[in-house]
Amino acid sequence: ARIEDLAGLAHRATVERFGKTMQMYAPLYLSNECVCTCTYCGFSQGLDIRRKTLRLDEVAREASTLAGRGFRNILLVSAEHPKRVGVEYVARCIAETQHHVPYVGLEIAAAEEDDYRSYAGAGCDGVVLYQETYDPEVYAAHHLGGPKKRYAWRMDALERAARGGIRHLGIGALLGLGDWRFDALALLAHARWLERHCWRAQINISFPRINPAEGGYTPAHPVGVAEFVRILCLFRLALPTAGLALSTRESPALRDRLVPLGITHMSAGSSTEPGGYESPGEAGEQFELEDRRSPHEVASGLRAMGYEPVFKDWEVMQSPATAARA
């Protein structure tokens, strides 16, 4: 099918299911200390970057800052370090963040079912875990050390999360790490499997493309814009009830173009550095961002396109017209 036809079908399918509402979220990085060696990651063990794990008071300040910028949805993110980022620490970070926003997600190391139960009890609403690549050989070539080497353990994590009471499950593949055609098909199969076996949970899917990172990795299988658009449209048509997320890895112009094609969740004003909202420059970032617009700019752009962001944009809401709508 022509890409224009796919785009039209994807747009109609999205509006029929989700309307023209966009869930806006921000990542809050807890730690860049890591015991894993991954070829593509700016937090990989052994890289000469400034390392930091946030104290609970720093987590509170970061969450408060994001809430003050309008966010109602915060995704807690961390590198893998069992001692620095243990279950009790993560649960306390979730509970602290819950004081500031109504929705808290988690993107950290794969965990045991009981750990996910602890996270749910602390107030965690969703878990995001990318398989990175679904090709076991490619996976082994890029995950050289640490607990993330366990391909099957990571693959099964979201089932454990669902059994532990997590109600939103997010998956994704890091496009460009392996053959993107294979990874896209495997990601689709994974999503459909989760829909059948974890039917109480909402399934969300992300499509990150590799960006430059501290380790200097460049993708062996780069995904062009045309291929990226086609993937997005096909996923929307194949999975009409799934949420589709788009991060600030992509440029502002491309993000705006992709909004009508099926996107339901967007990050904005992001930092990939622990403490990066209140005290930027004190720790290393995970990867470079392309869209550095402020949350207010992203929300205003969405409204200009006819979308209503789930976001407390205080400057906009001060006007009588938008205040009445809010």
Side-chain angles (χ1 to χ4, degrees):
R2 294 191 314 152
I3 198 165
E4 293 83 359
D5 296 332
L6 288 175
L9 292 170
H11 174 71
R12 286 194 291 275
T14 305
V15 173
E16 287 174 4
R17 176 70 184 185
F18 297 96
K20 300 187 77 175
T21 299
M22 185 68 65
Q23 302 287 332
M24 288 181 62
Y25 70 94
L28 193 169
Y29 277 71
L30 302 176
S31 176
N32 63 3
E33 298 190 72
C34 197
V35 298
C36 295
T37 303
C38 305
T39 62
Y40 53 86
C41 183
F43 291 167
S44 183
Q45 185 183 46
L47 292 180
D48 184 19
I49 64 170
R50 296 182 301 276
R51 304 285 180 171
K52 181 180 178 67
T53 298
L54 299 184
R55 303 184 308 269
L56 282 179
D57 64 300
E58 292 174 314
V59 174
R61 284 200 296 272
E62 291 282 281
S64 177
T65 295
L66 289 172
R69 293 179 184 178
F71 288 102
R72 303 178 187 180
N73 181 332
I74 291 177
L75 179 66
L76 301 179
V77 186
S78 178
E80 297 198 21
H81 197 301
K83 291 184 178 179
R84 298 287 190 182
V85 187
V87 177
E88 182 180 352
Y89 168 79
V90 172
R92 294 176 71 185
C93 290
I94 293 167
E96 185 59 55
T97 306
Q98 271 278 330
H99 293 319
H100 301 277
V101 295
Y103 186 100
V104 180
L106 200 58
E107 185 178 345
I108 64 169
E112 299 278 3
E113 182 178 332
D114 284 345
D115 298 340
Y116 287 121
R117 193 166 285 110
S118 296
Y119 299 152
C124 178
D125 298 289
V127 167
V128 176
L129 195 70
Y130 299 160
Q131 189 64 21
E132 315 297 12
T133 176
Y134 287 87
D135 185 323
E137 293 185 3
V138 176
Y139 189 94
H142 290 287
H143 301 94
L144 307 179
K148 197 171 177 179
K149 286 185 66 175
R150 302 166 64 189
Y151 175 98
W153 167 256
R154 189 172 183 87
M155 176 75 82
D156 296 340
L158 289 177
E159 299 167 56
R160 299 193 295 273
R163 292 196 299 267
I166 301 297
R167 60 191 179 90
H168 290 132
L169 306 176
I171 59 174
L174 190 53
L175 298 177
L177 201 58
D179 184 332
W180 62 266
R181 297 168 184 83
F182 174 83
D183 278 332
L185 287 172
L187 180 61
L188 176 61
H190 192 187
R192 285 181 162 165
W193 197 97
L194 289 172
E195 283 187 334
R196 289 195 303 272
H197 293 85
C198 306
W199 52 270
R200 290 185 177 87
Q202 166 67 33
I203 308 302
N204 297 323
I205 305 167
S206 300
F207 307 92
R209 294 192 294 174
I210 294 179
N211 279 12
E214 187 67 29
Y217 180 81
T218 54
H221 305 273
V223 180
V225 172
E227 292 87 358
F228 191 47
V229 170
R230 190 174 293 273
I231 290 170
L232 175 61
C233 291
L234 290 173
F235 266 78
R236 168 50 66 222
L237 296 175
L239 299 165
T241 65
L244 302 185
L246 188 64
S247 78
T248 48
R249 288 173 179 264
E250 304 299 339
S251 70
L254 180 59
R255 294 222 308 164
D256 288 346
R257 287 170 55 195
L258 294 178
V259 164
L261 305 185
I263 300 300
T264 58
H265 297 67
M266 290 181 72
S267 56
S270 301
S271 171
T272 67
E273 170 193 355
Y277 297 109
E278 274 289 291
S279 304
E282 291 187 356
E285 293 188 311
Q286 187 179 25
F287 54 83
E288 293 181 15
L289 303 176
E290 294 293 333
D291 189 348
R292 295 189 175 273
R293 291 178 294 179
S294 71
H296 168 73
E297 290 173 316
V298 174
S300 297
L302 288 168
R303 290 192 178 96
M305 290 187 284
Y307 287 79
E308 187 59 30
V310 179
F311 177 77
K312 289 184 178 179
D313 192 331
W314 300 114
E315 292 181 41
V316 174
M317 288 177 68
Q318 285 175 356
S319 70
T322 55
R325 186 170 67 240

